[in-house]
């Protein structure tokens, strides 16, 4: 516990308990603030509501249930819980982090609810995924004559996206204009995010264009929104605008509010979608310049981008430069080798990962087995497939079985593949039957298996004409003209679409 006398003698701060405690809280020294509060109680001085409010904030930052209950009880005992709405509001925020039931109980018992308390409760509901409850509370506010402010609207807008209610979002947008709340950037950022997540990118772009006080969050939301809505060119265009904007306004604010890792991840995804390797390298240099070289998610995104461009060496260089590689980076590197058909490199990287004590998951095993299949590494494929459950307690899923069927089929072992499928503990899907069909078409003397598999695929995907054509061609080669003609007629009469 901090010694209050010694502390403030050393730091030359006015001897006001409230000032001392609030100063410690603002410096994120919550434990010392609570220690000082205890010292205050021992000294016999009575805390005022400002002191208690600061302590509630300190308790919230520590996430201590016992301390929260303690300061709540003290607030009841001193009558602050009934006389000070700010105390109740702060306690609602603290309880909502782990106990929404208590937060609701406290909120419902409050006598004088104001817009700040209601906004805090709406935010708590949204943060805990209680979207319907948040919307219900928002409507009750309006009915009770409590006018929402920009914080309330910013809190309720994510509900419109979460419940896919774009019309409600538009109404809130219109309401904010009517109330002249457009000076609050936080609200406009929420509107941008809502439109983007509701797949109305045009509306988001219109709002963004007319925003007068954009901050870095605004730019991030728009870049991410363009990527998510499959507009990578627009994402890169906005990034160029951001760079021009930042160069134009080289003030302290812009320098502090530089693009963060989420912005860069979105940009790397956009570059990958557009096959824009030069732009990707430019973004890479920006990442290094902004000091994010060791960020796990950016390292992973860079590895993915370079490997999808076929530049596995550059991907490996990025991987090697990050000395803090975790599971995400290893997974990206293994997958990067796999999609480029580098089977031996996949196995080597996978072995290195295991030697570093990192346990694999089912997704990594898909990459490993897929690489073994495409590179003809049958022995290694069986070895790791069998080790999944026996050594790592990972039950193979459909994707893993699909890799093994593909491996057998590529080797021309279609009958063995069919036997393997028949012993599977789950129903095979189109991927698995399709792998056997491809194997039959590349092998000689597999007509019976081909016919069986083609019929299975037709039953699973009756609108895919490719399966009808394969079966019809086989019948024609065998001189089974009536059956071939029958299939051709089926394609014509059903007007099936070619895939």
């Amino acid at each position: 516990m901090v010694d209050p006398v010694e502390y403030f003698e050393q730091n030359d701060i006015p001897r006001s308990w409230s000032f001392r405690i609030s100063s410690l809280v603002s410096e994120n020294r919550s434990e010392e603030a609570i220690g000082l509060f205890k010292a205050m109680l021992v000294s016999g001085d009575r805390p005022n509501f400002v002191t208690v409010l600061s302590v509630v904030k300190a308790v919230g930052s520590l996430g201590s249930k016992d301390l929260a209950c303690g300061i709540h009880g003290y607030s009841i005992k001193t009558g602050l819980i009934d006389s000070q709405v700010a105390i109740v509001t702060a306690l609602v925020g603290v309880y909502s982090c782990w106990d929404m039931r208590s937060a609701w109980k406290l909120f419902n018992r409050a006598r004088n609810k104001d817009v700040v308390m209601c906004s805090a409760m709406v935010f708590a509901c949204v943060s805990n995924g209680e979207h319907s409850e948040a919307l219900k509370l928002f409507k009750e506010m309006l009915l009770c004559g409590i006018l929402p402010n920009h914080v309330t609207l910013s809190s309720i807008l994510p509900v419109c996206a979460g419940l896919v209610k774009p019309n409600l979002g538009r109404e809130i947008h219109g309401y904010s204009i009517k109330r002249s709340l457009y000076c609050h950037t936080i609200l406009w950022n929420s509107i941008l995010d809502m439109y983007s997540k509701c797949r109305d990118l045009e509306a988001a772009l219109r709002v963004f264009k007319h925003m007068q006080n954009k901050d870095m969050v605004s730019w991030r939301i728009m870049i991410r929104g363009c990527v998510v809505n499959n507009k990578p060119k627009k994402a890169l265009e906005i990034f160029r605008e951001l760079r021009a904007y930042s160069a134009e306004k080289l003030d302290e604010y812009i320098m502090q509010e530089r693009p963060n890792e989420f912005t860069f991840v979105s940009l790397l995804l956009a570059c990958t979608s557009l096959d824009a390797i030069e732009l990707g390298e430019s973004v890479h240099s920006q990442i290094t310049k902004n000091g994010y070289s060791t960020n796990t998610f950016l390292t992973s995104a860079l590895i993915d981008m370079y490997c999808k461009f076929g530049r596995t060496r550059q991907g490996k260089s990025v991987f090697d430069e990050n000395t803090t590689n975790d599971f995400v980076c290893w997974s990206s590197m293994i997958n990067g080798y796999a999609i480029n058909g580098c089977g031996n490199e996949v196995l080597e990287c996978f072995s290195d990962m295991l030697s570093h004590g990192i346990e694999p998951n089912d997704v990594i095993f898909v990459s490993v087995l897929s690489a073994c299949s495409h590179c003809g590494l049958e022995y290694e494929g069986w070895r790791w497939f069998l080790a999944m459950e026996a050594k790592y307690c990972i039950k193979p899923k459909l994707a893993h079985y699909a890799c093994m069927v593909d491996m057998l089929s590529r080797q021309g072992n279609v009958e063995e593949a069919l036997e393997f499928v028949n012993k599977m503990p789950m129903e095979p899907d189109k991927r698995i039957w399709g792998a056997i069909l491809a194997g039959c078409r590349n092998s000689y003397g597999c007509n019976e298996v081909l016919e069986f598999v083609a019929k299975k695929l037709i039953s699973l995907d009756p609108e895919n004409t490719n399966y009808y054509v394969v079966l019809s061609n086989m019948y024609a080669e065998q001189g089974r003209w009536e059956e071939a003609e029958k299939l051709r007629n089926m394609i014509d009469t059903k007007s099936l679409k070619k895939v």
Side-chain angles (χ1 to χ4, degrees), residues 452-470:
F452 174 78
V453 172
K455 288 180 177 178
K456 280 283 187 182
L457 285 165
I458 288 171
S459 66
L460 289 171
D461 189 6
E463 293 191 358
N464 189 334
T465 58
N466 289 333
Y467 306 138
Y468 292 85
V469 171
V470 170

Side-chain angles (χ1 to χ4, degrees), residues 151-294:
V151 177
T152 321
L153 299 181
S154 299
S155 299
I156 200 66
L157 279 165
V159 173
C160 303
L163 297 178
V164 194
K165 291 182 176 289
N167 289 334
L168 177 60
R170 292 186 189 98
E171 289 180 16
I172 293 173
H173 183 186
Y175 179 82
S176 65
I177 295 172
K178 184 178 179 181
R179 288 277 313 280
S180 300
L181 297 173
Y182 42 78
C183 59
H184 299 283
T185 304
I186 185 176
L187 173 57
W188 289 110
N189 287 340
S190 296
I191 292 171
L192 287 177
D193 193 50
M194 180 273 298
Y195 279 129
S196 297
K197 289 178 179 176
C198 286
R199 302 291 179 180
D200 191 352
L201 188 62
E202 292 301 318
L205 289 168
R206 283 196 299 270
V207 173
F208 183 73
K209 181 180 179 180
H210 291 98
M211 278 182 68
Q212 295 181 348
N213 300 312
K214 299 182 183 75
D215 61 7
M216 284 307 303
V217 176
S218 315
W219 294 92
R220 293 168 193 161
I221 290 171
M222 279 316 311
I223 291 170
R224 179 65 181 171
C226 290
V227 173
V228 170
N229 286 278
N230 299 316
K231 298 291 183 182
K233 285 185 179 179
K234 191 65 182 177
L236 294 174
E237 181 185 320
I238 291 174
F239 180 61
R240 291 192 189 99
E241 290 177 18
L242 168 61
R243 291 176 66 181
Y245 176 79
S246 298
E248 218 174 88
K249 304 213 171 197
L250 290 174
D251 54 22
E252 185 179 352
Y253 175 74
I254 290 295
M255 294 301 289
Q256 289 176 350
E257 294 290 325
R258 61 189 181 183
N260 69 358
E261 59 268 35
F262 302 109
T263 309
F264 285 124
V265 167
S266 300
L267 289 168
L268 290 172
L269 290 172
C271 292
T272 304
S273 301
L274 292 170
D275 289 334
I277 182 60
E278 291 182 2
L279 283 172
E281 289 174 333
S282 175
V283 173
H284 186 179
S285 66
Q286 289 289 324
I287 290 169
T288 303
K289 183 179 177 181
N290 282 272
Y292 291 123
S293 298
T294 58

Side-chain angles (χ1 to χ4, degrees), residues 85-96:
V85 177
I87 299 291
V88 181
T89 303
L91 283 169
V92 165
V94 170
Y95 278 122
S96 68

Side-chain angles (χ1 to χ4, degrees), residues 51 162 166 294 481:
T51 313
T294 58
W481 302 112

